[in-house]
Amino acid sequence: MIGAGIILLGVMAMATIKLSNKEAPATINTFLGLNESIETQLKLGESPYMVNFKVTDMYKLEKRYGYIQIIQSIGSPIRGMWHGKIKEAYYFLFACNGRIYKFNNDNTYTSIGTLTDDITSFFTFGDKLYILNGHEYKYWDGTTFGDVGGYRPLVVIGTPPTGGGTTYEEINLLNGERHQTFTPTEDKPTEYQLVEKDITSVDFVKVNGVLKTATTDYTADLVNGKVTFTSTTDHNNQIPDSIDIGWTKGNGDRAQVCKNYHAMLYGGSNDTRVFMWGNPDTKNRRIYTGLADGVPSAEYFPANSYSDVGNSEFAITDIVRQYDRQVIFKENEAFYSNMEETTDDTGATLVTFPVYPLNSEKGSVAPVQVVLNNPFSIQEGLYEWISTAVRAETNATYKSERVQSSLDNVGLKKAITLDYEKQGEYWLCVDNTIWVYNYRNDTWYKYVLYDAPICFLNIDGVLYFGTKDGRILKFVDGVRSDNGHVIKAEWDMGFYDWEYEYLNKYLNKIYISLMPRSKSGISVRWDTNRIGVNSIPVKIGYNLLDYDSIDYADWSYDTSYNPQPFRIKAKAKKFVYFKIILENSSLTDTVTILSISMICNIGGQAK
């Protein structure tokens, strides 16, 4: 027992002597982004507080760039923006103040039409742009702006004069227009019975494609739904479907279409149908277009082409496409749909879009983005949907654990989202704060803008956003302010203990390497676990000889563009935990931090 005690004391003594003289370096050359977990348990390179810095693809720390204003306040919110090609020309349109405006190359804008001032979405189909805002369904073809009139369906074919025939197409919700074809019989009747009575008007009568004249060639009985020819000379050829009669009954049920706010294109492997949702009267319903006489159309909504998804208590919040499937999100659950083709008794192909349960616990309360073919949804946090082919409770992977503590304090239902593909970033924006997930390097960071975006538009990698007061702003690489306002950037290192949480440390030197730029600087200070013991900020940086941005009051002949470490004397004593805080609030600096090295000596046990 005595011998064992002597050996133990000897080991302790040897260990104490060894640690008291140990010089322990710590280097951060891989920055790992924001992690709001317990500060003393972070990896070296993670930050408990990080704002307006980003992590580059090479894991370096870089101050974000800013934006400029391209459209001054119009006085009401920017309701939506769109950029794309119509026929042979590209256009930039936006909705604001009850109008659709065309943005011109000289930074002016021109009104192309009026509509209700509300959230507006855009999509192209064929050679037209379609515009949906919960009140109207409009179109623009580059010249004409107006209401979508809708396709006139052929409701019955092969009809004998006395009525009947074969049902061909359903009525269109967008209008009360339809037509019906007849085959004359050998008894040469003059009276033809329509499939409907109490009609509003007879719009045309054609025989073998030739338009006939009302009163002269025929008369119409609107109450009984009959057309009577004044003679039998030109319609007695018994050619199948040689007589075509068009009429109108009422105005259709346009509200079923126009009250929707959102739309997408889908059709299995091809985008042959338009799907809409967001009608507050039928909030769990999606409606979709049919083929207009076999041709895809954005102007034909058959009355029975809809699906009620789940119960009516919760609304559809978004629908996105993943491969050849639709993924349908409600606030508290998710479904999937695909296109299925079957053949009826006559050999005709029937197309349906059945809906199947996917996840009964996870949904989305905000717009969904498809990132690298996987939907990213928001419930209490951010989830990535890896598999959506079968029902499972494990197909939604939790992604926002590192920033969840701050997400818990904001209203995620008002979030807007963006896949900023050029930067490899997913943006989750609430008011003027943006949580950024860099899916190339698996890091999180946070931006706080001076202005609050309410909608985004990505044009060939250049990002625009609209505001509540009717301005449009554009992010520009190299711009160092938010439309003239300072970008305040800060990065905090997590408290670090050199893996000896029970020993005192002494640190005299910090080395920080910056990317040389014409004007680049950072303010450095440090803090420890000792209350009231911290440092005065130290400014380091470059002012290289650059005639494009020269300031003769701050002249330097330093022209080296090679990275150089800056040495800071810290003089931090008797601490257990240590952290560095980097700050930049300059309107002129750019900042890219390559590495941070800290060399401390390990002392005795902390008291």
Side-chain angles (χ1 to χ4, degrees), residues 19 22 24 38-42 495-505 528-530 574-578 600-607:
L19 291 173
K22 183 174 181 178
I38 299 174
E39 188 170 347
T40 57
Q41 296 181 4
L42 302 184
F495 274 116
Y496 187 61
D497 64 4
W498 276 262
E499 299 184 359
Y500 297 108
E501 74 278 5
Y502 55 91
L503 298 177
N504 282 323
K505 292 95 181 174
T528 71
N529 59 291
R530 296 180 64 188
K574 292 185 179 180
F575 63 87
V576 175
Y577 294 101
F578 179 86
C600 80
N601 292 92
I602 306 297
Q605 293 184 6
K607 297 181 181 179

Side-chain angles (χ1 to χ4, degrees), residues 63-64 479-482 484-489 519-523 539 542-543 583-591:
K63 185 179 179 181
R64 72 164 173 88
V479 169
R480 301 172 188 180
S481 70
D482 285 352
H485 300 278
V486 170
I487 300 173
K488 296 181 180 180
K519 189 168 180 59
S520 177
I522 196 79
S523 175
K539 177 70 181 294
Y542 289 96
N543 287 291
E583 297 172 322
N584 180 284
S585 297
S586 171
L587 281 168
T588 57
D589 288 355
T590 57
V591 184

Side-chain angles (χ1 to χ4, degrees), residues 252-452:
D253 193 0
R254 288 185 66 88
Q256 290 283 349
V257 178
C258 295
K259 282 192 173 184
N260 291 287
Y261 283 90
H262 310 289
M264 70 169 296
L265 305 185
Y266 174 73
S269 58
N270 299 302
D271 293 333
T272 57
R273 313 294 177 104
V274 179
F275 283 74
M276 292 184 180
W277 67 97
N279 185 335
D281 297 336
T282 52
K283 57 187 178 181
N284 68 320
R285 177 171 295 183
R286 61 168 191 169
I287 64 173
Y288 51 92
T289 57
L291 300 181
D293 200 17
V295 179
S297 172
E299 302 188 7
Y300 179 35
F301 286 85
N304 292 308
S305 291
Y306 68 89
S307 302
D308 288 335
V309 181
N311 65 62
S312 60
E313 182 180 357
F314 295 101
I316 295 174
T317 53
D318 208 351
I319 304 176
V320 297
R321 178 173 179 164
Q322 184 184 35
Y323 305 111
D324 61 347
R325 297 182 299 277
Q326 275 188 344
V327 187
I328 305 168
F329 291 91
K330 303 181 74 176
E331 289 188 9
N332 61 334
E333 56 187 337
F335 299 80
Y336 75 96
S337 178
N338 53 23
M339 187 177 79
E340 296 185 3
E341 295 182 343
T342 58
T343 304
D344 65 13
D345 296 338
T346 66
T349 300
L350 301 177
V351 175
T352 58
F353 299 90
V355 176
Y356 303 100
L358 180 62
N359 191 305
S360 61
E361 295 181 354
K362 300 298 180 186
S364 190
V365 299
V368 177
Q369 297 294 328
V370 178
V371 176
L372 299 178
N373 292 320
N374 289 335
F376 275 48
S377 67
I378 300 171
Q379 199 165 349
E380 71 281 358
L382 180 65
Y383 290 84
E384 179 181 9
W385 294 74
I386 305 298
S387 173
T388 57
V390 295
R391 181 175 184 176
E393 304 303 325
T394 59
N395 44 24
T397 302
Y398 184 38
K399 302 294 291 185
S400 56
E401 182 177 7
R402 281 170 278 173
V403 295
Q404 193 60 52
S405 62
S406 59
L407 292 182
D408 287 340
N409 296 318
V410 299
L412 291 177
K413 286 187 177 182
K414 60 181 181 179
I416 58 175
T417 61
L418 169 76
D419 178 17
Y420 197 2
E421 189 174 359
K422 179 181 178 181
Q423 301 294 332
E425 297 174 341
Y426 167 88
W427 286 23
L428 191 166
C429 177
V430 179
D431 298 325
N432 68 329
T433 302
I434 302 171
W435 288 263
V436 180
Y437 175 64
N438 189 318
Y439 49 83
R440 289 179 186 163
N441 58 28
D442 188 32
T443 59
W444 280 93
Y445 32 96
K446 184 165 66 175
Y447 297 157
V448 177
L449 310 185
Y450 183 82
D451 299 282

Side-chain angles (χ1 to χ4, degrees), residues 26-59:
T27 298
I28 303 172
N29 52 31
T30 300
F31 292 88
L32 301 176
L34 181 63
N35 189 336
E36 297 173 341
S37 302
I38 299 174
E39 188 170 347
T40 57
Q41 296 181 4
L42 302 184
K43 297 176 184 177
L44 193 60
E46 290 185 322
S47 171
Y49 182 79
M50 176 178 174
V51 63
N52 291 328
F53 275 109
K54 66 174 293 180
V55 179
T56 70
D57 288 346
M58 300 301 294
Y59 294 94

Side-chain angles (χ1 to χ4, degrees), residues 151-161 163-170 178-184 192-195 239-245 247 293 346 348:
Y151 166 72
R152 182 190 294 267
L154 177 57
V155 291
V156 180
I157 61 174
T159 313
T166 302
T167 299
Y168 186 66
E169 293 180 325
E170 295 182 39
R178 33 271 211 178
H179 66 125
Q180 180 177 358
T181 58
F182 294 81
T183 300
Y192 286 79
Q193 178 66 58
L194 301 176
V195 73
I239 297 175
D241 296 306
S242 59
I243 296 178
D244 189 0
I245 302 176
W247 74 95
D293 200 17
T346 66

Side-chain angles (χ1 to χ4, degrees), residues 442-475:
D442 188 32
T443 59
W444 280 93
Y445 32 96
K446 184 165 66 175
Y447 297 157
V448 177
L449 310 185
Y450 183 82
D451 299 282
I454 62 172
C455 58
F456 288 114
L457 177 65
N458 187 347
I459 303 178
D460 299 326
V462 178
L463 190 60
Y464 298 77
F465 68 90
T467 65
K468 286 184 179 180
D469 62 352
R471 291 177 297 134
I472 296 180
L473 303 109
K474 177 175 73 170
F475 285 94

